[in-house]
Amino acid sequence: MTEDDIEGSQPDPDPSCEERLKRKMDHLDLALTAPDGPLSPGFSDVHLIHRAAPVTDLPDIDLRTALWGRELSSPFFVDAMTGGPRMGGEVNAALAGAARAAGWGMAAGSQQIALQDDHCSETFAVIRQNHPSGWVAANLSAGVDPQHARRAVEMLSADALQLHLNAAQELLMPEGDREFAAILDSIRAVVDECSLPVMVKEVGFGISRDAARDLLDCGVHAINVAGAGGSNFAAIELSRADAAGHRPVQPADYLSWGIPTVPSLAETASAVRDSDVALIASGGVRSPLDAVKALVLGADMVSVAGPVWRVLRLQGEAGVRDYMRRWNEDVGRFLLLLGAGNVGDLSSLPYVITGDTAEYMRGRGHPTFRR
């Protein structure tokens, strides 16, 4: 789960680590019960065009994709979730094994706690141990310094570094960060120093066109929009704030804050149109069809977190492996029904957008998603 950044180069006292451990466990527990939304991610407003006479055979459907010169087995990865507590290590081990079996990549949860407490590093390193040749991304707050970024990457022998933006979440944390003015400078410094691709993601409140342009100016290699409509970290933090006696005057105002995922894809796609920056869709992706819609709209990759965590918690590792296998099979079926033989064909297919998403796009001047 996302975490606030650490300060300085020395480990924090043990009480701070204990608080962070507890917060991570709270996040895992609350993510199971907190409802999605209340905003819709917008996928129900995206309508794909059925191809009545398919042009390929199902066994010939190809889910492989390319990212930064590397061929990946599929365009999907398990997004940032946890690490630190013993249970977090068990979750990461199970998800990494399932990702390996399905040909998915995996992004670690926030590794700040392992930078504070070396004993926690194994709960993240287990991702690479269980997914030795797969695509793996390290993960830290966007306010991190290059030294910590290098340590996080080394911990996982990572293929990329994902920096998360979570200002709305931090502001609702009783113990959260309140200083954000230097974030873009921090991102730029990490990009300049990091030898691997750097991705930047939101945590469920979306990326606007202007924010995407700011990130382009920092030199990032990918933007993960993580729009509103999925796991709601405002709701999660407000649940924690109840116990802490720390609540806004109108908590409901924060529950509907953010840019839904499909409009956020439109915002970000318009900003990266003439660049080679990869576009990643996440936030309320709850089905293979949602994922296919995101790919048709121009996403290069799609990440999923909440659904696989719930399946793992309820059905165990065997259940989540079966879930991810069936996810790939469903995606293949939808490609056939759309007349696409491979993932690369999807971004040129027709689609129709209606409802609130169409109104949003008109209001923001987005006639099309095409990049």
Side-chain angles (χ1 to χ4, degrees):
M1 293 298 181
T2 58
E3 300 291 336
D4 50 305
D5 192 21
I6 60 175
E7 298 292 337
S9 59
Q10 298 300 319
D12 285 353
D14 288 342
S16 173
C17 293
E18 290 299 321
E19 290 173 5
R20 194 179 294 275
L21 284 167
K22 182 180 183 304
R23 183 159 71 239
K24 281 181 171 288
M25 295 308 299
D26 287 346
H27 285 162
L28 279 175
D29 291 339
L30 291 167
L32 286 175
T33 57
D36 287 346
L39 293 178
S40 165
F43 290 112
S44 62
D45 289 337
V46 180
H47 306 275
L48 305 182
I49 311 303
H50 172 60
R51 184 77 170 261
V55 296
T56 190
D57 299 324
L58 186 59
D60 295 331
I61 297 293
D62 189 356
L63 296 189
R64 289 177 298 175
T65 192
L67 185 68
W68 302 313
R70 176 174 177 175
E71 184 178 272
L72 306 178
S73 299
S74 82
F76 310 121
F77 66 94
V78 179
D79 214 339
M81 203 165 302
T82 192
R86 180 181 63 82
M87 179 183 172
E90 294 171 354
V91 169
N92 281 338
L95 291 176
R100 183 187 69 242
W104 290 27
M106 182 166 174
S110 177
Q111 293 168 255
Q112 269 94 347
I113 193 168
L115 300 181
Q116 293 175 261
D117 183 351
D118 287 340
H119 294 96
C120 293
S121 62
E122 181 59 27
T123 68
F124 296 97
V126 71
I127 295 173
R128 177 55 78 192
Q129 294 165 13
N130 284 29
H131 204 355
S133 59
W135 183 86
V136 171
N139 177 27
L140 288 171
S141 163
V144 75
D145 65 42
Q147 176 188 353
H148 292 141
R150 285 193 296 271
R151 289 174 58 194
V153 166
E154 291 166 359
M155 193 182 302
L156 296 178
S157 298
D159 302 288
L161 172 65
Q162 184 163 250
L163 302 176
H164 59 260
L165 295 165
N166 64 332
Q169 180 189 8
E170 292 282 354
L171 291 173
L172 293 174
M173 284 185 189
E175 67 280 71
D177 196 1
R178 301 295 185 265
E179 298 178 356
F180 305 98
I183 280 183
L184 290 175
D185 289 337
S186 296
I187 293 172
R188 188 175 293 107
V190 170
V191 171
D192 289 344
E193 294 290 330
C194 188
S195 60
L196 298 174
V198 176
M199 315 185 304
V200 174
K201 69 162 289 182
E202 241 288 349
V203 302
F205 301 94
I207 301 284
S208 70
R209 177 169 45 195
D210 292 335
R213 287 171 175 164
D214 288 339
L215 295 174
L216 286 178
D217 289 342
C218 292
V220 305
H221 302 88
I223 298 174
N224 184 343
V225 301
S231 298
N232 191 328
F233 277 94
I236 288 172
E237 295 303 342
L238 286 169
S239 296
R240 295 180 63 244
D242 278 343
H246 175 90
R247 285 179 68 80
V249 173
Q250 290 290 344
D253 290 346
Y254 295 91
L255 298 180
S256 297
W257 187 260
I259 308 170
T261 298
V262 174
S264 186
L265 278 172
E267 295 265 352
T268 305
S270 69
V272 305
R273 191 182 310 278
D274 297 321
S275 75
D276 58 0
V277 171
L279 179 59
I280 301 173
S282 68
V285 177
R286 294 297 180 254
S287 71
L289 182 56
D290 289 345
V292 170
K293 289 179 178 181
L295 294 168
V296 169
L297 294 175
D300 298 290
M301 297 280 287
V302 178
S303 66
V304 185
V308 295
W309 161 230
R310 292 186 182 96
V311 172
L312 176 64
R313 186 65 181 267
L314 296 174
Q315 302 178 28
E317 184 172 354
V320 79
R321 286 183 180 231
D322 180 64
Y323 177 82
M324 292 165 70
R325 174 188 61 79
R326 291 186 292 115
W327 181 291
N328 287 346
E329 291 176 352
D330 282 345
V331 168
R333 294 186 186 105
F334 285 123
L335 261 65
L336 183 142
L337 293 173
L338 289 168
N342 56 65
V343 172
D345 291 340
L346 291 176
S347 62
S348 62
L349 295 181
Y351 59 85
V352 175
I353 294 181
T354 61
D356 290 342
T357 302
E359 290 298 320
Y360 181 102
M361 291 177 66
R362 280 193 287 270
R364 289 286 282 164
H366 297 301
T368 178
F369 274 87
R370 297 300 181 213
R371 293 173 59 181

